[in-house]
């Protein structure tokens, strides 16, 4: 249901979301999302990282490392600083109640292969972060 809500208004080659554990997301836990159901075996565009957090998330940002394998076999790794709150502490994401959804585009255009996993891990300076509820990836033209 979350992926339909998150991807409903976006023209994307693929979209996949994962629910994160309620006890938190440990530093060593890598979330793996696999592009499926693409119209072609290789698609090009910009990766968009999307997440849903609740009002109790204690930081104004989250650092993520996004890794995927290009069609030519090169491992591509991007570091993304998702700034979730403005300088006054107001959440930038949109949401209802205590949950907010935020999306950030990773700048360089990439090509991804259907069935080749895209992995995401947080690289914050704490072992376990809490109150991130869902994490996803989309490829938009």
């Amino acid at each position: 249901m979350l992926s339909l809500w998150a991807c409903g208004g976006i023209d994307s080659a693929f979209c996949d979301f994962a629910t994160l554990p309620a006890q938190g997301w440990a530093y060593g836990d890598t979330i793996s999302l696999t592009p499926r159901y693409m119209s072609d075996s290789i698609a090009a565009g910009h990766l968009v990282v999307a997440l849903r957090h609740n009002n109790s998330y204690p930081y104004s940002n989250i650092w993520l490392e996004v890794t995927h394998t290009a069609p030519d076999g090169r491992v591509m790794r991007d570091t993304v600083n998702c700034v979730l709150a403005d300088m006054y502490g107001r959440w930038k994401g949109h949401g209802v109640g205590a949950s907010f959804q935020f999306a950030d585009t990773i700048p360089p255009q990439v090509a991804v292969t259907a069935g080749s996993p895209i992995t995401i891990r947080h690289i914050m300076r704490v072992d376990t972060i809490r109150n991130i509820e869902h994490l996803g990836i989309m490829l938009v033209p």
Side-chain angles (χ1 to χ4, degrees):
M1 174 112 170
L2 172 69
S3 63
L4 290 175
W5 177 75
C7 303
I10 298 174
D11 179 26
S12 62
F14 73 85
C15 179
D16 195 12
F17 274 76
T19 301
L20 298 179
Q23 66 270 23
W25 184 14
Y27 184 82
D29 290 347
T30 301
I31 306 301
S32 181
L33 302 167
T34 304
R36 303 181 203 281
Y37 315 115
M38 296 178 1
S39 60
D40 201 352
S41 60
I42 297 176
H46 293 278
L47 286 176
V48 175
V49 175
L51 61 90
R52 180 182 285 178
H53 65 90
N54 63 40
N55 205 32
S56 297
Y57 183 70
Y59 309 106
S60 64
N61 70 329
I62 183 170
W63 283 93
L64 301 172
E65 180 183 82
V66 180
T67 306
H68 76 281
T69 303
D72 64 5
R74 291 179 298 137
V75 174
M76 309 299 287
R77 184 169 286 119
D78 291 296
T79 302
V80 182
N81 178 21
C82 297
V83 180
L84 305 175
D86 66 16
M87 62 189 287
Y88 302 105
R90 292 183 297 242
W91 298 119
K92 291 183 172 187
H94 302 288
V96 179
S99 287
F100 299 88
Q101 181 164 331
F102 178 86
D104 198 3
T105 303
I106 301 173
Q109 188 166 356
V110 299
V112 297
T113 306
S116 179
I118 298 171
T119 60
I120 305 171
R121 68 182 187 106
H122 83 80
I123 50 174
M124 298 289 282
R125 293 184 179 175
V126 296
D127 180 58
T128 302
I129 57 172
R130 289 173 174 70
N131 303 306
I132 299 290
E133 299 167 344
H134 298 95
L135 180 70
I137 195 89
M138 295 174 273
L139 182 72
V140 295

